[in-house]
Amino acid sequence: MIKKSMFAVLAATGLALTACGGGGASAGAANGSGGDKITMGFAQVGAESGWRTANTKSVQESAKEAGVDLKFSDAQQKQENQIKAIRSFVQQKVDVIAFSPVVESGWDTVLKEAKDAKIPVILTDRAVDSKDTSLYKTFLGSDFVAEGKKAGEWLVEQSKSSEPVNIVEIQGTTGSAPANDRKQGFEDAIKDDPDLKIVASQSGDFTRSGGKQVMEAFLKNNPDIDVVFAHNDDEGLGAIEAIEAAGKVPGKDIKIITIDAVKDGMTALSNGKINFIVECNPLLGDQLMDLAKKVVAGQDVPQRVVTEETTFTMEQAKQVLSSRQY
Ligand code: GZL
């Protein structure tokens, strides 16, 4: 966790970084209030991936630790369910609403209802594309463009020969910030290398089954695939199943790059079935509770809090696998 003094400096600039892996001062101490228990309404995306499971666990455990009364809803990846949940939190007059928007668009109306009810909103994990930034107090989460860029830069580094490299891309949930931004970052990183070509791109909806189905179709329609860029580990693990069913060797015949670094992904990386993983930290619970207490207490918070993350090769995965928290 960033030292308080550094945090104050970064906060003043409107941007703060938090160390990956979560952890940090308990929310109660953070605002020094020790005041009344606050109630948070949390509208989660769903339970689509290992990352989401770890994120939910982090939010629930951190709420308990921080003495925050958590009202939790699982939207099963449907925007209308998240909107319903936010409306219900407004009716229940919670102190603060936090949510991870399943897609970027279509939130202004319900966020205006929360604002009119004087209930502050915190975005966590994913962003919205609303132009009206007064609709939420802060956005805590990863820089997905940077994640996509790191994935592309590794591939550029690995592809020094002037052989053509055919890439298939398994995108995340259509319209979601991580899918849009990871795609952007990856394309930006490879655009100056004429040998690297995305020959097919389709959404696997961040799920293992989605990754497997999309990869089966890619294998049928593209005889010569060199690399898979999957927007999360679960899609990459589904792609591995399809590649092995087609009699090819994942990590060797077809290289695989994914994003998240959850346990199952890191295990496949250490076994050489995935070649490179960009970390996306789901342990946002502690920072979320700290921010919520400050927001409810009327304190200023940075409008953007970016989680710091790293990357893993096979060797690095072998070293850290046993100590991973999720
Ligand atoms: C990223 C998060 C994405 C993960 C997926 O912050 O929103 O959603 O990369 C998850 O695993 O489903």
Side-chain angles (χ1 to χ4, degrees):
M1 186 69 177
I2 270 183
K3 284 195 178 54
K4 286 278 172 269
S5 51
M6 267 182 80
F7 191 93
V9 167
L10 286 167
T13 60
L15 177 71
L17 295 179
T18 58
C20 60
S26 75
N31 64 13
S33 70
D36 294 341
K37 196 176 175 76
I38 67 170
T39 301
M40 172 187 283
F42 189 92
Q44 180 60 291
V45 166
E48 73 283 0
S49 63
W51 190 97
R52 189 63 56 196
T53 307
N55 179 248
T56 291
K57 186 163 173 270
S58 170
V59 168
Q60 290 175 333
E61 287 179 355
S62 297
K64 208 179 288 167
E65 215 177 281
V68 168
D69 176 12
L70 185 71
K71 294 179 180 308
F72 183 92
S73 97
D74 171 338
Q76 281 133 24
Q77 287 200 259
K78 291 186 175 55
Q79 180 173 29
E80 64 268 22
N81 289 346
Q82 282 194 302
I83 290 173
K84 268 192 218 128
I86 292 169
R87 287 204 163 110
S88 145
F89 296 146
V90 171
Q91 275 155 9
Q92 296 175 61
K93 297 188 174 25
V94 298
D95 298 304
V96 59
I97 291 170
F99 78 116
S100 168
V102 59
V103 292
E104 285 192 288
S105 310
W107 301 99
D108 283 34
T109 304
V110 73
L111 292 182
K112 280 200 185 85
E113 291 167 21
K115 186 179 175 186
D116 293 346
K118 299 200 181 352
I119 299 177
V121 172
I122 295 175
L123 300 182
T124 169
D125 170 29
R126 299 184 184 178
V128 297
D129 61 7
S130 174
K131 300 281 170 289
D132 182 358
T133 54
S134 76
L135 293 175
Y136 53 90
K137 290 292 180 190
T138 182
F139 166 39
L140 161 67
S142 307
D143 177 343
F144 301 128
V145 174
E147 292 173 346
K149 200 158 169 288
K150 288 175 192 173
E153 285 167 349
W154 178 83
L155 184 57
V156 169
E157 201 36 51
Q158 296 297 313
S159 315
K160 285 293 167 213
S161 71
S162 57
E163 298 283 305
V165 176
N166 295 327
I167 305 161
V168 292
E169 179 184 30
I170 307 178
Q171 294 184 41
T173 301
T174 304
S176 68
N180 294 336
D181 293 354
R182 286 170 182 169
K183 180 172 185 51
Q184 185 61 56
F186 186 80
E187 287 172 353
D188 289 351
I190 68 168
K191 65 179 186 303
D192 297 333
D193 187 331
D195 297 320
L196 300 182
K197 206 158 156 292
I198 298 176
V199 296
S201 181
Q202 200 180 324
S203 173
D205 208 17
F206 281 132
T207 65
R208 209 171 287 206
S209 58
K212 184 177 178 193
Q213 281 155 27
V214 169
M215 193 65 208
E216 284 165 350
F218 285 164
L219 286 162
K220 260 197 211 97
N221 305 323
N222 303 275
D224 183 14
I225 298 171
D226 300 301
V227 175
V228 179
F229 169 46
H231 285 193
N232 80 331
D233 291 356
D234 290 73
E235 290 174 335
L237 292 163
I240 286 170
E241 290 177 38
I243 291 166
E244 289 176 330
K248 292 176 185 271
V249 181
K252 289 196 175 28
D253 299 335
I254 298 179
K255 298 252 183 289
I256 301 180
I257 306 166
T258 70
I259 299 177
D260 275 351
V262 294
K263 200 117 206 175
D264 289 350
M266 293 289 272
T267 303
L269 176 60
S270 60
N271 297 334
K273 291 191 175 184
I274 290 179
N275 301 88
F276 187 68
I277 299 187
V278 176
E279 183 183 39
C280 178
N281 175 23
L283 304 183
L284 304 175
D286 279 1
Q287 283 88 37
L288 175 59
M289 298 308 149
D290 280 355
L291 287 165
K293 289 206 162 186
K294 287 186 171 70
V295 160
V296 171
Q299 294 174 21
D300 283 341
V301 293
Q303 82 263 23
R304 180 74 175 93
V305 181
V306 183
T307 27
E308 272 184 39
E309 295 156 346
T310 184
T311 58
F312 295 99
T313 61
M314 177 166 81
E315 286 319 311
Q316 290 164 334
K318 283 180 179 167
Q319 280 156 21
V320 302
L321 188 59
S322 57
S323 62
R324 294 289 288 172
Q325 292 180 55
Y326 55 90

